[in-house]
């Protein structure tokens, strides 16, 4: 037993335990202090983490724009670590160091991501980055960003009457201005200020660079408006100048370097790669990076060690064998057009996953080319190095490129023709044609109904045929050249007959005897003229004197076409921003209230379905009156649409109230309403329309009134042609009535067109034969009301009301051809549609012969057409 105090060992153990305990307490104290320091340090770094999280989610959202825009978190972190090491380290404090890292990394990310973006998305990426950063720093109110995207959908307009006698203020412009006054306090009195002194605002509107003009009154004072608020004003006054205004906004808020994308840099991309990193060229129409890569391989002394294979059916196993051989031997492999082998893409993904830095020779590289495709493996997109290399923009750059491509650039070919004068002049004209057909795409539907992928192969075969035809014939065979080029080479891609008419009109202009004269003008201005015969360099010198940015006249278009092109760029910018999730800026609760209000309003305004049985009793099927059948059929079509709209609105109302489940289809309707667009669910059963939601509902109600008035008051004396769901049945019924009344075969009659006055209300009684129609708009030209002929557009006026037209059925053989332009009539401004059983596009209605004093080719090049419905 004994006394514990006598146990020396126990006392020693206790003493040691006490010392250890004291040491642990000391260490715990130090650890607590260290933890506090770590927490303080972490708090210091927290803003940097939050800032870079915003950047990562910004690039993640790019995948909504294009399936090829995919970036992994590991790639993002790797880039961030490089910025930590690569940025300036001599800073006075932590906050300054983090600012330096953030600044360095933001620009590094911009450069790396821009390398893999198409030209059209580079400015959009800068702007999205800018807005997301400003939003995270609470410098950009969500309401303002939402207004920029949608024009203030669901915002109550400030009730101010527009100024009288000011034609330049369109109803759409004034509505958006009044909504802006309700959205943003800085513009609270904008409508009243404009009405009080309209002159200075007109000067801003008329300016060629309105986004750089000093704004009138208090709005021009320093600091009165933020940079973003100036953008909102441009969106209302001059939407066509929003893109250059966005460019200025990014330059002003982030710096000039964020609006100057890095040039295509193949050596730079190669330097960042390894044997385990595939290098991918994302293709666009007209681009082919193969020659650039083969030249680079030559520079890297790999010309003999690169294998090229074009992908397609059955090429997968060959490609796999090539890759297996090259990984061991340290060679390069190029797989072209991977989008043509979607079924083999999972195999390619497995092969790439199996290639590591340990298993492959360090000199091995896998190069891929592909058009954007959802089938392309996401892991390759996220971990590979992506590049885009688009053909240069502008007619000058395009023609210069044509003269630097095979075979034109080859002296043995260019100088070998027996008739050098003829060949070189027509070759120059052909280069102009190639630039014309490619660059005209940028003008949208007024350029080509369908944007065809004309490429270098079309030029190559056409110039070789030109060389052969000129060499082998005593007289230049212009007809054969026009046929081979316009119907086979370029024409082989053209599926729309109106586009084919345009292509043949262009070729008639270039392939003609007059083109062999020195100084023959290819455009109205005379800027683009055929030079005298000379060596290859002389043609490049002539091309270098052409304008960098061509005027629309170079493509046969009116100056207003530039506005059309710019409006298209603005629409693309806002639509793409909405795809990235930008439309969600309004916040959940606000969106639900807005959508519930829209749903309730539309439901209240929807009339009941038509009573088809009552209509058929009042307007029975008659042999001599086909219009009765048209009325019943049209009402049936509208009933189908009304039922879908009503059912979706009622279900959405219940889902918002929490009384039923929000299905995937209803979710899409909800999202469309939130940004003021017509839901796909409606459009699948609707008449073609490009209008936003509010205008679409107004248009639908007007169409329903047309048929309810017809039912109640009898057949109208003049028909609103835009109101019909299926217009061909209406025009065929008019021809059928005439044919049956006169016992003619339906295929022997056609319409003669007589142009009437502008106001349809003066035609109170129907014509003895045929129909009066109204409600169309001219695009690409204007209407001379006095002479009743087509004339040139007024500046800044894109669409002009067309006159009332008397469609007079008559025997086709009795129609006397006059000086007219066969003007296509389309249902919407998109012009393109699906090929129907009639052999025409579903968007095309008929050809309207419009009187003119100008040559028909002039209006064809202008892209003139009649539209039944505008997009506003």
């Amino acid at each position: 037993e004994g006394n514990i105090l006598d146990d020396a060992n126990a006392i020693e153990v206790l003493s040691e335990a006490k010392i250890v305990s004291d040491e642990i307490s000391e260490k715990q104290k130090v650890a607590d202090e260290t933890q506090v320091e770590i927490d303080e340090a972490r708090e210091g770094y927290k803003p940097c983490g939050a800032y870079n999280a915003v950047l990562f989610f910004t690039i993640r959202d790019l995948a909504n724009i294009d399936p090829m825009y995919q970036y992994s978190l590991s790639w993002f972190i790797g880039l961030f670590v490089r910025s930590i090491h690569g940025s300036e380290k001599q800073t006075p404090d932590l906050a300054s160091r983090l600012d330096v890292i953030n600044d360095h990394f933001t620009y590094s990310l911009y450069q790396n991501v821009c390398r893999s973006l198409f030209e059209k998305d580079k400015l959009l990426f800068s702007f999205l980055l800018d807005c997301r950063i400003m939003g995270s720093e609470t410098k950009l109110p969500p309401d303002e960003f939402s207004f920029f995207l949608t024009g203030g959908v669901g915002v109550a307009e400030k009730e101010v009457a527009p100024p009288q006698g000011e034609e330049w203020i369109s109803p759409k412009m004034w509505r958006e201005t009044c909504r802006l006054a309700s959205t943003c306090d800085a513009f609270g009195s904008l409508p009243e200020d404009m009405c009080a002194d309209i002159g200075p605002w007109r000067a801003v509107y008329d300016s060629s660079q309105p986004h750089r003009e000093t704004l009138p009154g208090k709005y021009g004072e320093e600091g009165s408006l933020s940079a973003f608020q100036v953008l909102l004003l441009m969106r209302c006054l001059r939407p066509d100048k929003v893109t250059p205004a966005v460019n200025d906004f990014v330059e002003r808020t982030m710096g000039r370097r964020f609006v100057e994308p890095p040039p295509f840099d193949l050596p730079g991309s190669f330097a960042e790669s390894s044997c385990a990193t595939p290098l991918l060229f994302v293709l666009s129409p007209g681009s082919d990076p193969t020659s650039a890569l083969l030249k680079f391989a030559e520079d890297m002394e790999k010309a003999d060690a690169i294998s090229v294979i074009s992908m397609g059916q059955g090429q997968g196993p060959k490609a796999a064998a090539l890759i297996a051989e090259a990984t061991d031997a340290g060679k390069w492999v190029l797989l072209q057009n991977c989008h043509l082998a979607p079924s083999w893409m999972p195999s390619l993904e497995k092969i790439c996953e199996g290639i590591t830095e340990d298993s492959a020779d360090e000199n091995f590289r896998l190069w891929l080319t592909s058009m954007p495709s959802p089938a392309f493996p996401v892991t390759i997109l996220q971990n590979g190095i992506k590049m885009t290399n688009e053909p240069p923009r502008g007619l000058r750059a395009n023609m210069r490129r044509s003269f630097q491509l095979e075979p034109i650039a080859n002296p043995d070919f260019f100088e070998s023709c027996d008739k050098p004068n003829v060949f070189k002049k027509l070759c120059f004209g052909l280069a102009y044609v190639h630039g014309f057909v490619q660059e005209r795409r940028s003008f949208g539907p007024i350029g080509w109904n369908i944007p065809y992928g004309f490429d270098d192969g079309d030029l190559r075969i056409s110039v070789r045929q030109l060389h052969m035809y000129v060499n082998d014939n005593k007289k230049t065979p212009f007809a054969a050249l026009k046929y081979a080029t316009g119907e086979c080479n370029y024409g082989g891609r053209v599926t729309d007959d109106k586009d084919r008419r345009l292509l043949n009109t262009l070729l008639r202009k270039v392939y003609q005897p007059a083109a062999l004269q020195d100084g023959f003008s290819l455009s109205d201005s005379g800027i683009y003229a055929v030079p005298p015969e000379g060596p290859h360099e002389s043609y490049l010198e002539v091309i270098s004197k052409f304008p960098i940015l061509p005027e629309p006249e170079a493509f046969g278009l009116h100056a207003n076409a530039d506005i059309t092109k710019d409006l298209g760029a603005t629409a693309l910018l806002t639509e793409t921003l909405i795809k990235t999730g930008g439309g969600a800026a309004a916040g959940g609760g606000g969106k639900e209230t807005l959508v519930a209000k829209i749903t309730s309003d539309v439901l209240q305004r929807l009339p009941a379905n038509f009573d088809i049985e009552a209509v058929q009793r009042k307007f029975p099927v008659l042999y001599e009156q086909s219009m009765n059948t048209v009325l019943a059929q049209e009402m049936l079509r509208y009933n189908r649409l009304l039922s879908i709209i009503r059912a979706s609105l009622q279900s959405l109302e219940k889902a918002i109230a929490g009384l039923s489940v929000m299905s995937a289809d209803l979710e899409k309707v909800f999202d469309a309403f939130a940004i003021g667009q017509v839901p796909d669910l409606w459009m699948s059963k609707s008449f073609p329309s490009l209008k936003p939601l509010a205008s679409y509902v107004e248009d639908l109600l007007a169409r329903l009134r047309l048929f309810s008035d017809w039912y109640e008051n009898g057949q109208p004396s003049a028909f609103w042609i835009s109101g019909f769901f299926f217009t061909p049945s209406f025009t065929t019924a008019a021809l059928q009535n005439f044919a049956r009344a006169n016992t003619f075969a339906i295929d022997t009659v056609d319409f003669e067109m007589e142009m009437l006055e502008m106001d349809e209300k003066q035609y109170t009684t129907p014509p003895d034969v045929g129909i009066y129609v109204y409600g169309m708009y001219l695009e690409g030209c204007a209407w001379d009301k006095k002479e009743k002929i087509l004339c040139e557009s007024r500046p800044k006026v894109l669409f002009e009301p067309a006159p009332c037209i008397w469609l007079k059925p008559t025997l086709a053989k009795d129609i006397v051809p006059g000086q007219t332009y066969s003007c296509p009539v389309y249902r919407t401004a998109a012009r393109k549609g699906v090929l129907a059983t009639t052999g025409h596009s579903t968007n095309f209605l008929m050809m309207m012969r419009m009187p003119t004093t100008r040559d028909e080719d002039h209006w064809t090049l202008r892209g003139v057409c009649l539209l039944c419905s505008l997009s506003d």
Side-chain angles (χ1 to χ4, degrees):
E1 307 280 321
N3 190 341
I4 193 170
L5 296 175
D6 294 338
D7 191 337
N9 285 340
I11 290 170
E12 194 177 331
V13 168
L14 286 171
S15 299
E16 283 175 6
K18 178 75 169 74
I19 292 165
V20 170
S21 172
D22 289 344
E23 281 177 6
I24 289 170
S25 298
E26 283 297 319
K27 285 177 181 174
Q28 185 63 47
K29 195 174 170 187
V30 171
D32 289 344
E33 288 169 5
T34 307
Q35 186 63 46
V36 169
E37 285 173 17
I38 289 170
D39 287 345
E40 280 177 14
R42 192 173 64 226
E43 284 299 317
Y45 285 102
K46 212 172 182 181
C48 184
Y51 177 88
N52 289 293
V54 170
L55 299 191
F56 177 71
F57 287 113
T58 302
I59 64 166
R60 191 202 62 175
D61 289 341
L62 294 178
N64 296 324
I65 302 173
D66 193 294
M68 307 303 267
Y69 297 167
Q70 304 263 7
Y71 308 90
S72 68
L73 182 59
S74 57
W75 172 84
F76 181 85
I77 291 169
L79 197 60
F80 181 69
V81 170
R82 288 219 295 274
S83 278
I84 292 174
H85 296 304
S87 56
E88 175 62 45
K89 295 181 177 64
Q90 303 299 319
T91 52
D93 53 30
L94 178 63
S96 307
R97 171 75 176 130
L98 294 183
D99 286 345
V100 167
I101 291 173
N102 286 348
D103 187 53
H104 186 280
F105 178 59
T106 306
Y107 186 58
S108 173
L109 183 72
Y110 168 74
Q111 283 188 304
N112 276 274
V113 171
C114 260
R115 185 172 61 196
S116 60
L117 300 181
F118 292 123
E119 285 299 323
K120 68 182 178 66
D121 295 323
K122 288 179 180 176
L123 177 62
L124 173 119
F125 174 57
S126 301
F127 181 60
L128 185 63
L129 210 55
D130 199 354
C131 291
R132 292 282 177 90
I133 292 168
M134 287 175 72
S136 70
E137 295 168 352
T138 63
K139 291 179 183 173
L140 179 59
D143 290 351
E144 290 184 12
F145 188 60
S146 186
F147 184 93
F148 179 80
L149 296 183
T150 64
V153 169
V155 176
E157 291 174 22
K158 189 170 186 181
E159 292 186 14
V160 181
Q164 294 300 309
E166 300 293 338
E167 269 191 20
W168 62 278
I169 298 180
S170 67
K172 179 176 182 273
M173 183 201 295
W174 190 251
R175 286 197 305 272
E176 286 196 356
T177 304
C178 292
R179 286 202 291 270
L180 181 58
S182 304
T183 302
C184 183
D185 293 341
F187 295 112
S189 60
L190 179 62
E192 293 90 342
D193 294 339
M194 286 178 73
C195 292
D197 188 9
I198 200 70
W201 292 101
R202 176 70 195 257
V204 171
Y205 174 80
D206 285 337
S207 169
S208 60
Q209 292 190 318
H211 54 293
R212 290 181 178 164
E213 291 289 325
T214 304
L215 296 170
K218 65 181 182 184
Y219 304 99
E221 292 169 11
E222 190 71 35
S224 61
L225 297 178
S226 70
F228 197 82
Q229 285 165 348
V230 174
L231 271 187
L232 301 185
L233 197 54
M234 278 307 111
R235 195 197 194 289
C236 297
L237 297 181
R238 283 289 298 275
D240 57 306
K241 292 298 177 188
V242 163
T243 305
V246 163
N247 194 85
D248 284 6
F249 167 77
V250 174
E251 188 177 330
R252 185 173 157 187
T253 51
M254 290 187 81
R256 187 174 183 80
R257 58 188 184 157
F258 283 92
V259 292
E260 293 177 341
F264 176 67
D265 179 18
L266 194 49
S269 300
F270 177 77
E272 285 190 25
S273 70
S274 71
C275 57
T277 319
L279 294 109
L280 169 66
F281 293 99
V282 184
L283 303 177
S284 59
S287 71
D288 184 9
T290 307
S291 54
L293 177 58
L294 293 177
K295 188 178 182 309
F296 177 66
E298 205 174 299
D299 296 342
M300 298 294 290
E301 298 179 355
K302 285 278 183 183
D304 299 328
I306 181 167
S307 305
V308 182
I309 185 167
S310 188
M311 300 307 293
Q313 195 169 6
Q315 293 290 75
K318 294 177 189 173
L322 274 179
I323 294 170
E325 182 196 336
T327 45
D328 297 332
K331 293 182 178 179
W332 292 3
V333 175
L334 168 62
L335 307 186
Q336 292 178 310
N337 302 321
C338 292
H339 58 283
L340 299 180
S343 60
W344 189 70
M345 286 300 100
S347 306
L348 176 64
E349 188 172 18
K350 282 181 188 162
I351 290 169
C352 289
E353 282 172 0
I355 298 171
T356 62
E357 292 189 11
D358 298 330
S359 68
D361 187 286
E362 63 176 12
N363 293 317
F364 166 72
R365 290 295 182 278
L366 176 60
W367 303 83
L368 310 165
T369 74
S370 174
M371 292 289 278
S373 165
F376 200 87
V378 172
T379 52
I380 297 177
L381 290 171
Q382 290 188 340
N383 301 315
I385 290 175
K386 300 184 288 297
M387 296 160 280
T388 57
N389 183 24
E390 293 179 76
R393 300 281 174 92
L395 194 53
R396 184 177 90 168
N398 199 301
M399 289 182 71
R400 185 177 182 81
R401 182 169 178 271
S402 295
F403 266 82
Q404 291 171 332
L405 286 173
E406 284 284 330
I408 302 176
N410 186 341
D412 295 341
F413 175 83
F414 193 69
E415 301 291 348
S416 64
C417 187
D418 297 342
K419 300 168 193 154
N421 183 51
V422 175
F423 170 70
K424 289 180 181 179
K425 281 186 163 60
L426 294 181
C427 180
F428 188 86
L430 183 61
Y432 169 78
V433 167
H434 185 68
F436 182 108
V437 298
Q438 286 193 320
E439 296 302 315
R440 194 173 158 114
R441 285 185 304 219
S442 64
F443 291 93
I446 201 169
W448 294 101
N449 288 1
I450 298 166
Y452 304 101
F454 301 115
D455 63 22
D456 299 338
D458 302 324
L459 175 66
R460 206 175 296 124
I461 185 66
S462 297
V463 80
R464 284 188 173 134
Q465 284 176 343
L466 172 65
H467 189 280
M468 183 178 71
Y469 285 11
V470 169
N471 247 352
D472 294 355
N473 293 275
K474 286 183 180 177
K475 283 183 72 178
T476 307
F478 287 109
L481 283 169
K482 280 184 280 197
Y483 186 84
T485 310
E487 299 291 338
C488 305
N489 306 338
Y490 288 90
R493 298 181 185 275
V494 178
T495 53
D496 187 291
D497 57 335
K498 272 67 69 182
D499 286 339
R500 189 175 295 276
R501 178 175 73 160
L502 168 64
L503 181 61
N504 287 327
T505 300
L506 169 65
L507 287 167
R508 275 201 304 275
K509 187 177 174 182
V510 174
Y511 280 161
Q512 58 168 314
L516 304 180
Q517 306 299 318
D518 285 351
F520 171 74
S521 184
L522 295 165
S523 69
D524 291 345
S525 64
I527 293 171
Y528 301 91
V530 176
E533 186 211 333
H536 187 269
E537 297 74 33
S538 68
Y539 292 95
L540 287 172
E541 196 176 318
V542 168
I543 292 168
S544 69
K545 291 174 183 167
F546 290 162
I548 296 174
L549 296 173
E551 294 290 323
E553 68 85 25
F555 309 101
L557 294 161
H558 188 270
N560 282 355
D562 258 348
I563 299 175
T564 306
K565 180 171 77 170
D566 293 342
L567 284 171
T570 300
L572 182 68
L573 180 79
T574 51
E575 284 166 19
T576 313
L577 279 169
I578 287 168
K579 279 184 194 171
T580 63
K591 266 170 78 173
E592 286 196 2
T593 310
L594 166 65
V595 173
K597 182 174 177 293
I598 293 171
T599 307
S600 165
D601 287 352
V602 177
L603 261 177
Q604 284 173 11
R605 297 176 67 190
L606 274 190
N609 284 17
F610 294 115
D611 184 343
I612 303 298
E613 289 183 5
V615 171
Q616 287 174 333
R617 281 196 298 272
K618 189 171 179 181
F619 296 93
V621 176
L622 297 173
Y623 178 78
E624 64 277 7
Q625 184 47 279
S626 300
M627 287 295 177
N628 291 359
T629 308
V630 171
L631 175 62
Q633 287 177 344
E634 285 292 310
M635 286 181 162
L636 270 170
R637 291 188 185 101
Y638 278 108
N639 275 357
R640 201 177 306 134
L641 175 60
L642 277 171
S643 299
I644 283 178
I645 291 176
R646 190 177 286 106
S648 65
L649 290 171
Q650 287 168 344
S651 301
L652 185 60
E653 211 167 35
K654 287 178 184 172
I656 292 171
L659 301 173
S660 68
V661 177
M662 180 83 79
S663 67
D665 283 343
L666 284 181
E667 188 90 50
K668 287 176 184 170
V669 175
F670 181 92
D671 291 340
F673 277 16
I675 54 174
Q677 292 181 347
V678 182
D680 290 341
L681 181 67
W682 296 8
M683 288 311 299
S684 63
K685 298 294 180 191
S686 170
F687 48 88
S689 178
L690 300 177
K691 293 180 182 289
L693 181 62
S695 305
Y696 176 87
V697 172
E698 294 294 339
D699 188 39
L700 173 63
L701 296 175
R703 288 163 179 260
L704 297 174
R705 277 195 299 276
L706 167 71
F707 294 103
S708 59
D709 289 350
W710 186 343
Y711 170 66
E712 288 163 15
N713 308 320
Q715 190 172 309
S717 52
F719 291 92
W720 179 39
I721 194 169
S722 312
F724 288 89
F725 209 113
F726 187 63
T727 317
S729 67
F730 162 67
T731 50
T732 305
L735 289 174
Q736 201 168 43
N737 283 349
F738 173 77
R740 285 175 173 176
N742 296 280
T743 60
F744 295 139
I746 185 77
D747 57 354
T748 62
V749 296
D750 199 358
F751 284 122
E752 207 168 1
M753 288 97 185
E754 186 177 321
M755 304 299 134
L756 306 175
E757 301 303 324
M758 300 300 293
D759 184 11
E760 73 280 356
K761 291 190 179 78
Q762 67 189 75
Y763 302 103
T764 52
T765 53
D768 296 333
V769 62
I771 45 178
Y772 295 144
V773 295
Y774 68 92
M776 290 180 285
Y777 301 87
L778 282 161
E779 183 182 18
C781 71
W783 182 251
D784 186 328
K785 297 171 191 172
K786 190 178 171 189
E787 299 292 331
K788 293 187 179 173
I789 55 169
L790 296 178
C791 62
E792 293 292 0
S793 300
R794 293 180 290 162
K796 291 195 178 75
V797 180
L798 304 181
F799 304 100
E800 296 267 10
C804 299
I805 300 173
W806 181 7
L807 299 179
K808 290 191 280 189
T810 184
L811 284 169
K813 63 184 177 62
D814 294 342
I815 296 174
V816 181
Q819 191 169 9
T820 58
Y821 164 63
S822 292
C823 183
V825 182
Y826 296 104
R827 303 176 76 173
T828 69
R831 299 197 187 192
K832 71 174 179 181
V834 183
L835 199 65
T837 49
T838 56
H840 291 290
S841 153
T842 48
N843 208 339
F844 172 76
L845 291 183
M846 63 193 295
M847 283 292 194
M848 201 74 81
R849 290 183 290 280
M850 308 291 285
T852 174
T853 53
R854 301 291 297 258
D855 183 34
E856 186 167 14
D857 288 355
H858 174 79
W859 301 117
T860 303
L861 290 170
R862 281 276 191 266
V864 170
C865 74
L866 281 162
L867 301 173
C868 290
S869 164
L870 300 183
S871 306
D872 291 336

